[in-house]
Amino acid sequence: MKTLYLVIALAPLVASVVVGLYGPRLGRRASHWLCILGVAVSMAASIVVWRDVQAGNVFNGDVYTWLASGDLRFAIGFLIDPLTATMMVVVTFVSLMVHVYTIGYMAEDPGYTRFFSYISLFTFSMLMLVMSNNFVQLFFGWEAVGLVSYLLIGFWYERPTAIYANLKAFLANRVGDFGFVLGIGLVLAYFGSLDYATVFGKAPELATTTVSIWGDQAWSLMTVTCICLFVGAMGKSAQVPLHVWLPDSMEGPTPISALIHAATMVTAGIFMVARMSPLFELSETALSVVTVIGATTALFMAFLGIVQNDIKRVVAYSTLSQLGYMTVALGVSAYSAAIFHLMTHAFFKALLFLGAGSVIIAMHHEQDLRRMGGLRKFMPITWATAVVGSLALAGIPPFAGFFSKDAIIEAVHLSKIPGHGYAYFAVMAGVFITAFYSFRMLFLAFHGKPRWAEPPDHADESEHGHDASHDAGHEPDAHHGVDADHPPKESPWVVTVPLVLLAIPSVYTGWTYIEPMLFGGYFGNAIVVRPEHAVLWELKNEWHGVAAFVQHGVLSLPFWLAIAGIVAAWYCYLVNPALPERLKRLAGPVYTLLDNKYYFDRFNDWFFAGGSRKVGGMLSEVGDRGVIDGFFVNGTARVVGLAAALMRHIQSGYVYHYAFTMIVGVFALLTWWVGR
């Protein structure tokens, strides 16, 4: 099986390298089929491994040792258990769908082969991250996936907005990675190893160990380590306040929006915390921090989804909110529920992103929801799959999102972790908001009158200049358009087939996997939960099968909040479309606050970016010009000039001047010798 593990990881890498180096020579057709074949092989092998793991076969071993220093070894190795195998299948399946979809979406782009090389390399990086059995390899995959996402977000590098977006992603993730490195450093310093098994085995011994960060204040080693590791997760999984990069990443092509935001990069933090459950379980403070941060992200990012007019950004803020749900689940020790929601969310969120991309293709790269409408009869397949994705996101049974989201809500309700009350309010309120903005997007895009046949409302565009310029982030070739004579049409099969294939697990994975994943010991020893935190065990005592869970869900508050959100969206955007504008005017400052994204970007631009520029300017003025140029460079030149002027007087050519200099020198030497 070790050979098969290598094939899973290396197949996308080989395809990426070959296409990256020789893509223009190979041609588009050969390039995309080579990358698709690499990911398809990886997916098929991942399914084989997943079935092998389900049979009870777990692997933990090194493949190659690349550095040894004393007792410390840095190795490339694999930990293949149910948690890893699940992530491998999810990552490779979504990646394969994105690869096929890209054939249609990027058909006219001059960077076609380069894009395929990037997304295959992205898949390899993510697989190395989830398959690792040590912190060094984890960090390699962590940084590699960040690097490739940077290249993908800034894929259209001629555009200033793309440069701004990938720079923001880079900086926000560097802040998170700084905490991540500190956490890994603490693990190495106190555990003496970077191997998962060794670290997790020693963790109970160090549960009461304290460290001094400053002064005489003692801090729990486990708390500090876990919070540092979670800061890394906050960057990768876009949790408040390190969330700011993810909406701007929409500047990249739509396929990478699905790849990054659905099942891969943004879920790396969720996976990492679940993998580190033996550590997090030893610090209730760290769990509380995770809970509060996740709840804040789930609620406040959902609000932002309501005011977005760019179809991709609605889905992006939805991703932020759903990541908050997963993080809350981690914080209340419902790690299995977090991974369960990660899996279901990967399918229906990739479906929604790719569906948005299908709409963008039909609208000739128009992304403003206010310029859409009535697409249902022109794009029946895209519409049907968008309905499936929206119902799953809203949490309506029997779609997948209902089971995973309700499980998280129930787990939060049963939790005793400090902050669980606030988290319960946040996730409950988020249900209504999620249903509202998801169906707002559906109704504005596919229902109502076709606004694309009308001339643009310049007043409305000027009113939302901020949204229509930087935030809208229209993709290239937006000069083409649709009108009554040139209506939109359904996307080609390379676009619609991935939509249909993603819609299938968006329906059935919920009721199929809720029992084994949450209550059936699916993850085995891959996830560790202390008895006092075992909320899912309490929930198991109330489990009476899928049918009973659905019946209970239909009679519970979250379901009716979701229905209320759908009805509210229907009334606001189909029955009484003038109402949202009136509510917006009444909201006044609240709408302004949401439209400006709580002023996070402005604060970052003013404080961090502006402050850094001012500090840099001051250092340039004082350090560069004053010290380096003024003192060292110019000062040295002045000293040399003075010495030269003095030497000109001494080097006169007269013998008596030289004799006088020798006498002075001898006198100075004798004085030093006697004084010694």
Side-chain angles (χ1 to χ4, degrees), residues 319-361:
T319 299
L320 281 169
S321 181
Q322 297 307 304
L323 286 168
Y325 275 85
M326 299 175 206
T327 304
V328 167
L330 296 172
V332 299
S333 295
Y335 305 99
S336 300
I339 300 300
F340 182 42
H341 193 51
L342 182 157
M343 181 185 72
T344 62
H345 174 266
F347 299 129
F348 65 73
K349 187 53 57 71
L351 171 61
L352 287 172
F353 267 118
L354 298 187
S358 178
V359 169
I360 293 169
I361 294 173

Side-chain angles (χ1 to χ4, degrees), residues 234-396:
M234 288 170 63
K236 275 289 184 288
S237 294
Q239 297 296 290
V240 173
L242 299 181
H243 69 282
V244 293
W245 67 271
L246 191 143
D248 285 77
S249 67
M250 295 297 102
E251 291 293 333
T254 298
I256 68 105
S257 300
L259 194 61
I260 292 177
H261 297 166
T264 52
M265 178 176 169
V266 295
T267 62
I270 307 300
F271 165 80
M272 185 271 291
V273 175
R275 174 62 75 199
M276 302 300 149
S277 61
L279 303 182
F280 279 83
E281 282 299 291
L282 299 174
S283 174
E284 195 163 277
T285 302
L287 290 175
S288 182
V289 170
V290 173
T291 301
V292 172
I293 293 292
T296 303
T297 305
L299 179 60
F300 287 90
M301 295 302 106
F303 280 124
L304 295 183
I306 298 174
V307 301
Q308 302 302 311
N309 293 312
D310 184 298
I311 188 170
K312 285 173 57 178
R313 287 180 182 267
V314 176
V315 189
Y317 280 104
S318 164
T319 299
L320 281 169
S321 181
Q322 297 307 304
L323 286 168
Y325 275 85
M326 299 175 206
T327 304
V328 167
L330 296 172
V332 299
S333 295
Y335 305 99
S336 300
I339 300 300
F340 182 42
H341 193 51
L342 182 157
M343 181 185 72
T344 62
H345 174 266
F347 299 129
F348 65 73
K349 187 53 57 71
L351 171 61
L352 287 172
F353 267 118
L354 298 187
S358 178
V359 169
I360 293 169
I361 294 173
M363 295 294 298
H364 294 279
H365 297 282
E366 174 63 69
Q367 295 176 210
D368 196 332
L369 286 164
R370 296 166 297 182
R371 295 285 300 145
M372 299 179 186
L375 295 178
R376 174 183 175 182
K377 70 175 183 179
F378 300 100
M379 308 177 69
I381 299 175
T382 302
W383 168 78
T385 55
V387 170
V388 171
S390 299
L391 289 170
L393 175 59
I396 303 299

Side-chain angles (χ1 to χ4, degrees), residues 48 106 108 132 137 178 198 215 230 333 335 365 401 459 477 486 496 528 552 578 655:
V48 172
M106 301 292 289
E108 300 177 2
S132 63
Q137 188 175 328
F178 179 71
T198 305
F230 179 64
S333 295
Y335 305 99
H365 297 282
D477 302 323
H486 303 87
T496 56
V528 175
H552 174 266
V655 175

Side-chain angles (χ1 to χ4, degrees), residues 362 364 452 481-489:
H364 294 279
W452 44 265
V482 292
D483 51 40
D485 297 324
H486 303 87
K489 58 182 180 180

